[in-house]
Amino acid sequence: MRERSDAELVIQARAGDGESFGELVLRYQRAAYSVALSVIGRHQDAEDAAQESFMVALERLEECRNPARFAGWLLAIVRNRSRNLIRRESLRRGDEIPASASSSGPSPERAADISALRERLKEALSTLSEVQREIVLLHDLEGWKHAEIADRLGMPSGTVRSHLHFARKALRVQLSDWKDYGKGV
Amino acid sequence: MNTEDRDRRGGRFGSPFGSTNGDFAREPRTSLEVVDPGYRSPGYWGRFHAAVMERAAFELARRRRLARESVAAVLSGWSRRLIPVAVAAAAVAVFLIGSEVRHAADPGPPLVLEDVLASEVEDGALPVVMSGQAPASPVAFMALVEGNVR
């Protein structure tokens, strides 16, 4: 079956088609979370901001003038929402691991290692600029291509590559002493 | 050459970082999996999706209702305009058909056979023919008719 374009999904979601909206959520939930995380830096708040952004996007679907560019429009909402969240609220302290963490996960030692690396990564990410964090998360975590990021964030491809390069360089310097870093944990 | 090819070659405008940094594609990806909530909790993204869809249910239902209502509104708007026009058109049609019927029922003055036969015949020809003096030769007949008219 032919994969429906973003534009088709947006038009059908405007008429209340849950399946189409669900497909849009499926396509962009990880990217939305990454952008929120790059702005806020905390899991729970990033999750809230990403979910709320989907609600805002659904309520304002008519304002998406070019449905083919839904992703860029959505990510702009996520970014604004996340910034507003930082401004408005006294953010909750600490990162929350989802309650339903799998019991079939890694061993306690491994879990501790992962948790420590996560903290180190978060610290390292926090030293980057917001746009660098956003790009490195979209590229290295979500697997988006330079061109996709450039298109959806509305910036030249060269700028994306430049941000990505400096972000990776900074992360590598900060995490150079981490034993497992770069080996897939 | 597509964008990814350009990326592999170090960018459309060349590398901004000199020869050592020219090829971004060869840079190792940053291992960020640990910040992905799905890494720690495999069902995370399914739950995320379900949570969004649950919150979206009301708005989606509102949109469906609005879409149905707007279809009904269009139809009812059309019918409001269409019915008077259709009534007027029917009245005009009835009037026209009635007038046609009246025309058909009124045949006018009866046609006389002579009138029909003589309708396009020149004035002088008929008395000549009727008098019984019409010559057999067409030339002589025409000469007689012409003379009779004058």
Side-chain angles (χ1 to χ4, degrees):
Chain A
M1 198 177 133
R2 184 181 67 91
E3 189 181 69
R4 286 184 294 169
S5 69
D6 283 2
E8 289 171 303
L9 294 172
V10 167
I11 288 164
Q12 283 162 4
R14 279 177 182 166
D17 181 17
E19 198 186 319
S20 299
F21 181 68
E23 177 64 29
L24 287 169
V25 175
L26 208 57
R27 279 185 194 179
Y28 297 113
Q29 59 186 7
R30 296 169 65 94
Y33 173 83
S34 291
V35 169
L37 186 67
S38 71
V39 176
I40 300 170
R42 270 177 290 273
H43 163 72
Q44 194 60 55
D45 293 319
E47 182 187 84
D48 288 348
Q51 290 189 355
E52 276 173 26
S53 298
F54 277 112
M55 293 305 105
V56 171
L58 177 61
E59 283 161 15
R60 297 184 188 165
L61 267 184
E62 281 70 23
E63 293 171 26
C64 180
R65 287 188 206 139
N66 186 352
R69 301 181 72 85
F70 172 79
W73 178 76
L74 170 72
L75 296 185
I77 292 176
V78 175
R79 211 172 294 122
N80 289 337
R81 193 103 196 136
S82 303
R83 286 176 187 154
N84 287 344
L85 194 71
I86 287 176
R87 264 187 235 118
R88 268 202 331 262
E89 297 175 10
S90 55
L91 292 168
R92 290 180 289 273
R93 289 283 163 205
D95 193 12
E96 288 177 30
I97 297 172
S100 52
S102 170
S103 59
S104 61
S107 65
E109 296 79 19
R110 193 75 179 140
D113 265 1
I114 289 171
S115 181
L117 175 57
R118 189 167 61 242
E119 289 310 310
R120 284 290 303 277
L121 255 178
K122 279 171 60 186
E123 277 172 33
L125 283 168
S126 70
T127 65
L128 305 179
S129 68
E130 188 181 303
V131 69
Q132 284 178 339
R133 271 198 301 275
E134 196 170 311
I135 288 170
V136 81
L137 285 171
L138 287 174
H139 192 279
D140 288 354
L141 184 60
E142 301 312 319
W144 284 20
K145 294 175 179 141
H146 296 124
E148 287 175 301
I149 297 173
D151 182 49
R152 288 161 183 176
L153 301 191
M155 61 174 65
S157 181
T159 309
V160 171
R161 286 196 298 272
S162 160
H163 281 309
L164 183 62
H165 170 74
F166 284 115
R168 282 169 165 176
K169 198 172 169 186
L171 289 176
R172 229 171 278 130
V173 167
Q174 299 217 32
L175 297 163
S176 57
D177 60 335
W178 186 263
K179 54 186 175 180
D180 280 336
Y181 184 70
K183 295 177 189 167
V185 189
Chain B
M1 186 171 69
N2 63 29
T3 315
E4 287 308 297
D5 291 335
R6 273 202 300 270
D7 292 345
R8 274 191 282 279
R9 286 156 55 97
R12 193 182 341 180
F13 308 109
S15 166
F17 308 111
S19 58
T20 55
N21 299 317
D23 198 337
F24 287 93
R26 281 201 208 125
E27 280 187 347
R29 273 176 188 269
T30 325
S31 297
L32 296 173
E33 295 89 350
V34 291
V35 297
D36 178 356
Y39 182 83
R40 290 169 272 166
S41 174
Y44 176 82
W45 290 113
R47 289 194 300 278
F48 184 102
H49 186 266
V52 172
M53 294 310 291
E54 192 184 331
R55 290 173 68 177
F58 180 78
E59 173 64 13
L60 287 167
R62 189 189 70 84
R63 283 176 173 274
R64 278 193 296 275
R65 198 173 54 244
L66 212 65
R68 272 199 306 273
E69 280 170 7
S70 58
V71 168
V74 166
L75 289 177
S76 110
W78 266 98
S79 68
R80 265 201 299 274
R81 261 169 277 165
L82 211 61
I83 287 171
V85 172
V87 167
V92 169
V94 165
F95 173 77
L96 288 175
I97 289 168
S99 104
E100 285 288 320
V101 168
R102 266 200 309 279
H103 257 289
D106 179 18
L111 280 176
V112 180
L113 182 62
E114 286 79 3
D115 290 344
V116 175
L117 291 173
S119 62
E120 291 189 8
V121 179
E122 291 203 22
D123 289 348
L126 210 56
V128 172
V129 173
M130 298 299 282
S131 67
Q133 298 167 352
S137 156
V139 176
F141 175 76
M142 287 310 296
L144 187 62
V145 169
E146 288 292 313
N148 207 27
V149 170
R150 289 197 186 103

